[in-house]
């Protein structure tokens, strides 16, 4: 049997789509870093280079109508779930063509057309939102699931516990996926986490819990696929500990060089993109030339997105309350201190 006959067409398409998204996010994050450093982007940001396999593997296991919540480090997660690079890049530039019309910025990218309920600058704040979405799906009787990304540091804060408790109690279709990039800001988990094994801890809620190699896109995909299937069968939430690493520091002003050089090098050697490229080639799902072409297409698309974003207008001050309140008049009164 030749390698070509091992993989069915559907799997090949899935793999190439996942490769494309890995590359898309890597290009996006590199460009965001460069543009910010060159003084072209306002605000503040957190780059997720190194963590792409967790974002892509997880979101590829969802249906388009499933929901997702993310964190302050949400560029990769939101793009993996379907936010366009055009909309995301324009959002970083603070332009009207941004996916949130410049009202979200780097840390609050949301896109309801993709059921992306938002990246979130408040640590752990995505979890209660995910539980609310899960409760809504359950009450409405849909079989949608909710993927809740959060950081390793977020696990040490109350909302994660409250959310997991509620989701377990009410058997809600929520997948709690901890993106364990080993640090909360510059604090290693040995300095903030009293729980010896978070997978065993999560099992204490009476839910399924597993640990995966977060730099292996297929391992993450399989874990989320299984968790989603359980949730759709009405078997409630799951917890996934995805072990990964961010190559750079906590935020864009932090080069992260305070970490041991050997540690950074060891994780870079586990770069999820060449790793998956190797799997694709070994299984005959594509050739090097096919994968190079995907990379070139994504780079060209991103460059066009950057040019379009730079050329787009900034929002007018008078539009500040649009899209913020359901009723803009009530919103304006609230801001002026007039209670409706
Ligand atoms: C409620 C709250 N507390 C503190 C902060 C400041 N803060 C921003 S990111 C961060 C660390 C988060 O670490 P982790 O959850 O591991 O995510 P990572 O940055 O590693 O992706 C902290 C403390 C915040 N944004 N929100
Ligand atoms: Mg972290």
């Amino acid at each position: 049997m030749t390698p070509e006959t091992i993989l069915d067409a559907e799997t090949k398409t899935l793999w190439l789509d996942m490769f494309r998204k890995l590359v898309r996010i890597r290009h996006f994050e590199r460009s965001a870093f460069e543009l910010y450093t060159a003084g072209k982007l306002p605000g503040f940001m957190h780059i997720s280079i190194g963590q792409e396999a967790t974002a892509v593997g997880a979101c590829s296991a969802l249906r388009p109508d499933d929901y997702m919540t993310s964190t302050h480090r949400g560029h990769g997660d939101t793009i993996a779930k379907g936010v366009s690079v055009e909309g995301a890049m324009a959002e970083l530039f603070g332009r009207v063509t941004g996916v949130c019309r410049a009202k979200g910025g780097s840390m609050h990218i949301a896109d309801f057309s993709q059921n992306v309920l938002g990246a979130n600058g408040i640590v752990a704040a995505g979890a209660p939102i995910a539980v609310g979405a899960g409760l809504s799906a359950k009450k409405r009787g849909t079989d949608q699931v909710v993927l809740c990304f959060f950081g390793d540091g977020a696990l040490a804060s109350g909302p994660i516990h409250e959310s997991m408790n509620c989701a377990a109690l009410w058997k809600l279709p929520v997948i709690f996926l901890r993106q364990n990039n080993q640090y909360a800001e510059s604090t290693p988990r040995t300095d903030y986490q009293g729980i010896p094994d978070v997978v065993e801890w999560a099992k204490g809620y009476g839910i399924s819990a597993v640990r995966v190699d977060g730099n292996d896109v297929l391992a993450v995909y399989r874990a989320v696929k299984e968790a989603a299937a359980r949730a759709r069968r009405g078997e409630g939430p799951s917890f996934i500990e995805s072990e990964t690493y961010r190559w750079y520091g906590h935020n864009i002003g932090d080069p992260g060089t305070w970490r041991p050089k050997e540690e950074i090098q060891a994780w870079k050697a586990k770069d999820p993109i060449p790793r998956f490229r190797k799997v694709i080639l070994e299984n005959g799902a594509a050739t090097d030339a096919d994968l190079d072409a995907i990379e070139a297409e994504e780079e060209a698309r991103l460059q066009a997105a950057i040019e379009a974003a730079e050329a787009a207008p900034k929002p007018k001050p008078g539009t500040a309350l649009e899209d913020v309140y359901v009723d803009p008049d009530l919103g304006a009164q609230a801001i002026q201190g007039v209670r409706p």
Side-chain angles (χ1 to χ4, degrees):
M1 191 158 37
T2 64
E4 286 78 11
T5 58
I6 298 172
L7 290 181
D8 56 54
E10 200 184 330
T11 307
K12 277 189 194 177
T13 306
L14 172 72
W15 284 20
L16 294 192
D17 185 58
M18 289 202 287
F19 182 80
R20 181 180 288 282
K21 287 193 176 136
L22 290 171
V23 168
R24 180 176 294 166
I25 295 168
R26 177 70 57 93
H27 286 339
F28 185 93
E29 292 288 59
R30 281 223 171 102
S31 294
F33 185 90
E34 286 164 14
L35 289 162
Y36 188 91
T37 312
K40 292 193 171 185
L41 301 181
F44 200 52
M45 63 184 64
H46 307 79
I47 296 293
S48 67
I49 291 180
Q51 302 183 196
E52 298 91 341
T54 294
V56 172
C59 290
S60 301
L62 299 180
R63 293 193 322 225
D65 67 333
D66 290 332
Y67 296 101
M68 189 274 275
T69 63
S70 177
T71 73
H72 55 287
R73 198 179 301 284
H75 302 169
D77 299 344
T78 50
I79 291 171
K81 179 66 174 72
V83 173
S84 73
V85 289
E86 291 79 9
M89 188 52 81
E91 191 62 32
L92 298 194
F93 269 93
R95 307 301 160 115
V96 288
T97 47
V99 66
C100 300
R101 300 189 197 176
K103 294 194 177 77
S106 165
M107 277 187 265
H108 293 272
I109 290 176
D111 185 353
F112 289 177
S113 76
Q114 302 299 320
N115 283 357
V116 171
L117 301 182
N120 205 313
I122 309 295
V123 166
I129 295 171
V131 169
L135 181 60
S136 155
K138 186 164 181 169
K139 290 271 181 204
R140 286 181 291 118
T142 71
D143 64 350
Q144 292 164 290
V145 306
V146 191
L147 172 65
C148 171
F149 284 121
F150 60 97
D152 51 295
L155 186 127
S157 76
I160 296 294
H161 164 76
E162 295 171 38
S163 301
M164 286 178 60
N165 182 54
C166 271
L169 178 68
W170 295 332
K171 285 210 179 306
L172 302 182
V174 183
I175 303 164
F176 295 94
L177 193 152
R178 186 192 196 212
Q179 297 164 312
N180 185 353
N181 61 14
Q182 316 299 325
Y183 292 91
E185 297 205 349
S186 55
T187 311
R189 57 182 151 152
T190 43
D191 284 0
Y192 70 75
Q193 186 178 302
I195 301 164
D197 181 338
V198 292
V199 172
E200 290 309 312
W201 164 82
K203 286 179 187 167
Y205 290 88
I207 67 176
S208 161
V210 292
R211 175 174 283 106
V212 290
D213 176 347
N215 280 17
D216 177 347
V217 72
L218 294 179
V220 179
Y221 174 85
R222 278 191 292 270
V224 174
K225 196 88 186 161
E226 281 171 24
R230 273 195 303 277
R232 291 192 216 288
R233 288 196 300 267
E235 293 170 23
S238 301
F239 174 87
I240 298 170
E241 161 87 338
S242 188
E243 294 267 7
T244 183
Y245 198 73
R246 54 170 153 75
W247 288 10
Y248 297 104
H250 170 64
N251 56 34
I252 204 142
D254 167 17
T257 42
W258 39 267
R259 298 170 301 182
K261 275 198 185 67
E262 306 71 41
E263 177 184 293
I264 299 172
Q265 282 316 320
W267 277 99
K268 284 191 173 176
K270 291 191 271 186
D271 184 342
I273 300 183
R275 223 172 133 183
F276 191 44
R277 176 182 269 265
K278 194 160 171 269
V279 173
I280 291 173
L281 295 176
E282 281 172 359
N283 285 278
T287 63
D288 257 324
D290 295 331
L291 300 180
D292 290 348
I294 289 175
E295 293 218 29
E297 281 165 25
E298 288 300 319
E299 185 55 31
R301 179 177 169 187
L302 185 66
Q303 286 313 317
I306 293 168
E307 280 165 31
E310 265 187 303
K314 291 182 179 166
K316 295 203 167 66
T319 62
L321 295 181
E322 284 176 10
D323 307 314
V324 176
Y325 295 93
V326 174
D327 180 339
D329 289 337
L330 286 182
Q333 289 173 29
I335 278 188
Q336 287 158 13
V338 181
R339 297 269 171 245

